[in-house]
């Protein structure tokens, strides 16, 4: 079983609407959680990174939340744009290790006009 | 600042052939990572270099995979002989020591036929 589970696997939203992506993880001991955006044919690009003590972080229209007690995170996209169509990947890092990252499979978002 | 560069972007080879992937990290980044995503699965760790030394290679699938980072600059990942299950997208990422942020390359899409 993967240590990082994301839902929904995919979704289609209308331009201008909001959406929320979910990430549940079992990685322990927890160091930080990142959300990446991956456009087709490109590598993942970092949107946010949160440590244990942070429960929300924003990057423009992207807002990530973290509940380290329940081991859940969400990524909220506000006023979606066509350019938001991409895969959004939740990535969790453990402490005391070798900097290895555990990846979710990603949420595939398609924004339609 | 130039990003992480990977060559080639695509490679199609026959089963049994050899392929070498290259990654040029961001200048000054001592940490270099190789990851792989096979179809339908999450991105998985392969190995981690700190400068020219292999810090962790526990994610390498088998001895048909050989990674090098001579001189602590660019890195190569050789697959010899390639098998069908090696098909996927191989990502390279780099970071500075002690810094959590990673920068990913665009990946090399390897198809073994």
């Amino acid at each position: 079983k993967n240590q990082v589970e994301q839902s929904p696997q995919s979704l289609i939203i209308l331009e201008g609407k909001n959406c929320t992506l979910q990430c549940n993880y079992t990685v322990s001991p927890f160091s930080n959680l990142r959300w990446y955006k991956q456009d087709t044919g490109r590598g993942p690009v970092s949107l946010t990174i949160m440590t244990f003590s942070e429960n929300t972080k924003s990057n423009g229209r992207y807002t990530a939340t973290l509940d380290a007690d329940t081991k859940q995170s969400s990524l909220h996209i506000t006023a979606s744009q066509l350019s938001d169509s991409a895969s959004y990947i939740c990535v969790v890092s453990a402490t005391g290790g070798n900097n290895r990252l555990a990846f979710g499979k990603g949420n595939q978002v398609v924004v339609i006009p | 600042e130039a990003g992480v560069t990977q060559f080639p972007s695509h490679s199609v080879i026959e089963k049994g052939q050899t392929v070498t992937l290259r990654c040029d990290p961001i200048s000054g980044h001592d940490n270099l990572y190789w990851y792989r995503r096979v179809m339908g699965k999450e991105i998985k760790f392969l190995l981690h270099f700190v400068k020219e030394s292999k810090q962790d290679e526990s994610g390498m699938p088998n001895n048909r995979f050989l990674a090098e980072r001579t001189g602590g600059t660019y890195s190569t990942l050789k697959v010899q002989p390639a098998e069908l299950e090696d098909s996927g997208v191989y990502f390279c990422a780099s970071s500075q020591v002690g810094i959590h942020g990673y920068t990913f390359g665009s990946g090399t899409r390897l198809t073994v036929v």
Side-chain angles (χ1 to χ4, degrees), chain A residues 31-100:
Chain A
S31 174
N32 59 75
L33 184 146
R34 314 147 191 254
W35 281 94
Y36 282 86
K37 178 186 180 188
Q38 185 177 10
D39 293 307
T40 301
R42 310 288 295 178
V45 175
S46 180
L47 294 175
T48 63
I49 177 170
M50 291 180 291
T51 59
F52 185 89
S53 59
E54 299 174 291
N55 55 25
T56 186
K57 183 163 284 188
S58 292
N59 178 357
R61 294 179 296 101
Y62 301 102
T63 299
T65 65
L66 172 65
D67 185 335
D69 291 330
T70 61
K71 298 186 177 181
Q72 295 179 325
S73 176
S74 67
L75 180 69
H76 186 77
I77 305 175
T78 302
S80 61
Q81 300 177 359
L82 298 179
S83 59
D84 293 332
S85 296
S87 176
Y88 293 84
I89 305 173
C90 177
V91 184
V92 184
S93 176
T95 58
N98 47 25
N99 293 314
R100 246 199 278 178

Side-chain angles (χ1 to χ4, degrees), chain A residues 2 31-32 34 36 38 41-46 49 51 87 89 93 98-106, chain B residues 31 33 35 37 40-45 48 55-56 58-59 89 91 100-107 109:
Chain A
N2 193 16
S31 174
N32 59 75
R34 314 147 191 254
Y36 282 86
Q38 185 177 10
R42 310 288 295 178
V45 175
S46 180
I49 177 170
T51 59
S87 176
I89 305 173
S93 176
N98 47 25
N99 293 314
R100 246 199 278 178
L101 306 177
F103 289 76
K105 290 185 179 182
Chain B
N31 286 311
Y33 306 83
Y35 290 89
R37 184 171 198 166
K41 301 287 189 179
E42 68 276 12
I43 297 173
K44 287 190 175 179
F45 170 83
H48 171 207
Q55 186 77 7
D56 179 0
S58 59
V89 182
F91 291 103
H100 290 307
Y102 295 72
T103 302
F104 282 84
S106 294
R109 180 173 294 279

